[in-house]
Amino acid sequence: MTSAFFYQECYMKKYLIIATISLVIASCGNKEQKADDPLADSGRTQRTENMLANLKAIGDSTVYMFGHHDDTVYGIGWEADYTNDSTIHERSDVKSICNDFPALLSFDLGHLELGDERNLDGVPFERIRKEIIAHYDKGGMVTLSWHLDNPLSGGSSWVADSLKSIETKTVPSVLEGGEKHEFFLSWLDKVADFLNSLETPYGVKVPVLFRPWHEHTGSWFWWGQAHCTADQYKALWKMTTDRLKEKGVTNALYAYSPGTEPDGDESKYLERYPGDDIIDILGLDCYCFAPEADTTQIANYADKLDKNLGMVCAVAKKHQKAVALTETGYECIKTDNWWTHTLAPVLAKYPISYVLVWRNAHNRPNHFFAPYPGQQSTSDFIRFYNDKRTLFLSDLNGLYNKK
């Protein structure tokens, strides 16, 4: 399984699949020369539309991209030197294991709305912008989440027991006619400014996948199930996308990513769906909670993922959307074969475009979702890396941004 021949065989299988996708889809640009960035009929850049087509094509194949949140800005025991541009896209816990970067990077825009220079995890927004452009230039893709503060209470995204009476009023307060509506529009404008700033030196707006208002089927965020009605949640989504488009954002796709609360029920999954005219990607956030490597709980995670991912893929087929496992992971990865014995067997059954695991916090040693040197699952992750189905950055070979 770990022979050089096996590695080469897996690489060639992935290469042939990607080459086929590249031939089928008109790709996105060429960083070697200044390129026009024309708008498609949708009002988005052609490169953004091409990214969506590529996501669908990958989903229709037998492969999927691997992603990791904040992968290139910090990891276990290290943090990037944000004052030194030569460290951009240089280091990664994932790369330290398999000598390759994730195909997909994820970053968070929390605290951008406040006008802060750094996000809620301490990463400068200017560095995030540069990392996004660098990853795009290398052929990768980027998705952005937004853990924004509560515009009514002044608290964080997460619901505090002391503020529950306020949380239920927050979404109505930011909608049209609400007391915080104009204030909240100014927050959306800051997001628009950031998305519009994602332009390469050769004149191309970098296409990204924006994933706000996630895990709304739970109630731990102020936009969650218990804190607003279905109509209010849908209106929040429409206001968000309308405002970004009004401010000239043409390089964003939008992802809808509930948690596992629908429990495989399509109607519950779609209860707050804002509509096919707004959403491009249907997703699912599903985590493995198994303290002390409890095999029963790990098996329960696999069953839950299987049940819910199967349902999401069925919905996506009906709505002609791309589909992804938008967040997952096993904190501390307490078994040595989680990647190939728990995660990969479920993913192999479904036509997803990518899987994203959460971050490796540099300041919290027990908060990591990808392996790092010395971690017990490193050998298994290498097997996962060499699986013919998984795509990392070198596998993409510029799928998103080369002619």
Side-chain angles (χ1 to χ4, degrees), residues 114-341:
L114 305 180
D116 291 357
E117 291 185 358
R118 293 175 178 246
N119 77 356
L120 76 170
D121 293 314
V123 185
F125 288 109
E126 179 60 16
R127 181 54 175 256
I128 292 174
R129 186 182 71 81
K130 291 177 179 178
E131 292 283 355
I132 290 171
I133 293 171
H135 194 62
Y136 173 78
D137 273 346
K138 292 178 182 295
M141 178 183 159
V142 171
T143 179
L144 300 170
S145 54
W146 189 23
H147 289 88
L148 69 166
D149 276 9
N150 186 312
L152 186 62
S153 71
S156 71
S157 291
W158 288 266
V159 172
D161 288 341
S162 60
L163 297 174
K164 281 188 176 178
S165 62
I166 296 177
E167 305 289 355
T168 57
K169 302 175 183 177
T170 302
V171 173
S173 78
V174 303
L175 298 177
E176 188 171 0
E179 62 182 286
K180 291 292 184 179
H181 179 63
E182 293 299 325
F183 176 67
F184 189 71
L185 290 181
S186 73
W187 283 13
L188 290 174
D189 291 351
K190 289 183 175 67
V191 173
D193 290 343
F194 181 81
L195 295 177
N196 284 326
S197 76
L198 300 176
E199 184 171 321
T200 69
Y202 48 98
V204 169
K205 268 189 165 183
V206 175
V208 294
L209 177 61
F210 187 37
R211 194 173 61 91
W213 319 130
H214 67 304
E215 298 176 11
H216 65 278
T217 48
S219 297
W220 43 89
F221 296 132
W222 58 258
W223 56 86
Q225 184 88 14
H227 310 303
C228 61
T229 67
D231 286 343
Q232 289 167 345
Y233 179 80
K234 293 176 185 179
L236 177 64
W237 255 108
K238 187 174 189 311
M239 179 181 65
T240 300
T241 55
D242 283 353
R243 185 67 172 189
L244 296 182
K245 291 173 184 177
E246 180 183 332
K247 292 297 177 178
V249 174
T250 57
N251 57 326
L253 301 176
Y254 299 97
Y256 176 75
S257 54
T260 58
E261 291 75 21
D263 196 29
D265 187 316
E266 291 188 17
S267 62
K268 291 180 179 178
Y269 181 84
L270 292 171
E271 181 183 23
R272 300 189 172 212
Y273 182 58
D276 287 346
D277 57 331
I278 291 176
I279 299 300
D280 302 292
I281 311 292
L282 294 182
L284 172 72
D285 289 8
C286 178
Y287 281 90
C288 180
F289 298 103
E292 305 307 322
D294 185 298
T295 55
T296 299
Q297 293 190 51
I298 292 173
N300 288 342
Y301 160 79
D303 291 342
K304 179 173 62 175
L305 179 61
D306 193 358
K307 181 179 184 179
N308 283 277
L309 195 56
M311 175 269 294
V312 175
C313 288
V315 172
K317 184 175 182 179
K318 293 175 185 177
H319 290 257
Q320 298 183 318
K321 302 295 180 182
V323 63
L325 182 50
T326 42
E327 279 186 41
T328 196
Y330 180 17
E331 189 174 37
C332 295
I333 322 169
K334 299 182 179 75
T335 62
D336 61 7
N337 62 1
W338 187 80
W339 300 100
T340 62
H341 283 64

